[in-house]
Amino acid sequence: MGVSFKDVAGMHEAKLEVREFVDYLKSPERFLQLGAKVPKGALLLGPPGCGKTLLAKAVATEAQVPFLAMAGAEFVEVIGGLGAARVRSLFKEARARAPCIVYIDEIDAVGKKRSTTMSGFSNTEEEQTLNQLLVEMDGMGTTDHVIVLASTNRADILDGALMRPGRLDRHVFIDLPTLQERREIFEQHLKSLKLTQSSTFYSQRLAELTPGFSGADIANICNEAALHAAREGHTSVHTLNFEYAVERVLAGTAKKSKILSK
Ligand code: ADP
């Protein structure tokens, strides 16, 4: 069983927005007979670790369709101009397995604004890949039943062509979780742990301790706490284990952001 909407804590508005895709993938004829043009996809916008991939997977599970994922960087890492070919083969597979979801993680790796050279002619590997992506999206009709979801934290550097109507024209914002959302995410990840006190006791306090943390950080804290409890020879996870885990994850995040700012 894959990830379903109930595994995605918080993010109520985002879930509401993508629910439309689930309805469409489940019964496209209902939309088509009314003459509605269903969006071909959406851009999921927000910082890393906030559940964009999780949400995209949940859409596929809820609609009971295949989930085809690829990271933007995978298209451009291939040596020798294979990026465009990879895009082509991804969409070929998608059409063969439709109805389905195509998920492109960190699309900014391929979708950067195209540069215009003096000759007005630019043809870098990334641009060819992006052009192929646009060709594939335009070539898809409403009867293909392929929904493209793409994630990025850098909408500012994306090529405007990607967001034109008929392409990724829907934008779903997924920001860092609020206090209440952090509580819900803690609850979700505390479920699988053996705790000394009730999960609400921990989720409330931990949510207050963790402003600015992402869902991924929260999942990490829960796991680090359990690992720490095991190392200490406890039979259930204690407050002290959580305190240790928060500090450890906080230190990790601080290190990462230092590298980023440098
Ligand atoms: P993104 O795609 O935004 O970088 P992911 O969806 O890959 O983030 O999230 C990474 C991990 O963080 C997930 O596998 C999950 O364990 C946890 N997580 C993030 N957001 C949530 C959430 N809203 N509810 C439950 N878990 C979450």
Side-chain angles (χ1 to χ4, degrees):
M1 253 317 271
V3 185
S4 66
F5 277 151
K6 72 171 172 22
D7 302 312
V8 185
M11 294 170 59
H12 302 288
E13 277 175 31
K15 278 199 247 182
L16 212 61
E17 286 191 57
V18 296
R19 207 171 272 278
E20 192 182 336
F21 293 119
V22 177
D23 295 338
Y24 169 70
L25 287 166
K26 269 185 159 167
S27 43
E29 58 298 334
R30 209 156 54 82
F31 291 79
L32 295 176
Q33 64 137 1
L34 287 168
K37 276 207 189 70
V38 177
K40 287 185 190 165
L43 200 57
L44 310 180
L45 293 161
C50 287
K52 297 186 289 296
T53 310
L54 205 63
L55 186 70
K57 279 187 185 157
V59 172
T61 313
E62 297 280 341
Q64 297 174 311
V65 301
F67 180 75
L68 278 62
M70 199 136 183
E74 281 177 69
F75 292 120
V76 287
E77 267 168 18
V78 229
I79 312 157
L82 285 177
R86 279 216 168 173
V87 172
R88 223 175 291 130
S89 76
L90 175 66
F91 279 84
K92 192 172 166 209
E93 188 188 348
R95 274 191 286 265
R97 296 179 65 186
C100 68
I101 298 271
V102 168
Y103 180 64
I104 304 173
D105 200 10
E106 300 189 6
I107 195 171
D108 38 282
V110 276
K112 281 198 209 84
K113 286 193 182 87
R114 283 165 292 187
S115 53
T116 33
T117 54
M118 295 272 276
S119 59
F121 179 79
S122 56
N123 223 357
T124 65
E125 162 82 27
E126 276 140 60
E127 285 165 12
Q128 281 176 14
T129 309
L130 172 59
N131 287 337
Q132 188 61 38
L133 194 60
L134 298 174
V135 166
E136 295 291 347
M137 289 210 67
D138 291 343
M140 255 175 358
T142 39
T143 49
D144 281 319
H145 310 322
V146 176
I147 298 284
V148 181
L149 298 177
S151 82
T152 184
N153 189 25
R154 297 296 313 273
D156 55 320
I157 61 163
L158 281 190
D159 196 293
L162 259 177
M163 299 182 270
R164 247 177 244 144
R167 293 174 184 157
L168 300 172
D169 49 358
R170 290 276 174 111
H171 296 171
V172 180
F173 293 94
I174 298 170
D175 214 345
L176 286 169
T178 60
L179 175 69
Q180 175 57 28
E181 284 176 317
R182 290 197 300 279
R183 256 185 75 177
E184 291 175 32
I185 301 172
F186 269 114
E187 285 285 336
Q188 181 68 33
H189 289 276
L190 290 173
K191 263 189 212 158
S192 53
L193 305 187
K194 191 151 177 277
L195 303 167
T196 315
Q197 309 214 36
S198 74
S199 66
T200 37
F201 170 82
Y202 290 117
S203 64
Q204 175 68 44
R205 297 182 51 173
L206 287 164
E208 280 165 12
L209 274 177
T210 50
F213 280 51
S214 67
D217 293 330
I218 291 174
N220 217 345
I221 288 175
C222 295
N223 196 49
E224 284 292 340
L227 290 175
H228 189 247
R231 278 202 298 273
E232 301 279 296
H234 300 159
T235 50
S236 60
V237 190
H238 290 250
T239 307
L240 273 177
N241 305 128
F242 282 111
E243 281 172 5
Y244 165 86
V246 170
E247 294 217 346
R248 178 154 187 172
V249 172
L250 188 62
T253 320
K255 239 184 260 156
K256 260 188 272 161
S257 54
K258 217 188 228 160
I259 297 165
L260 281 180
S261 59
K262 190 175 156 198

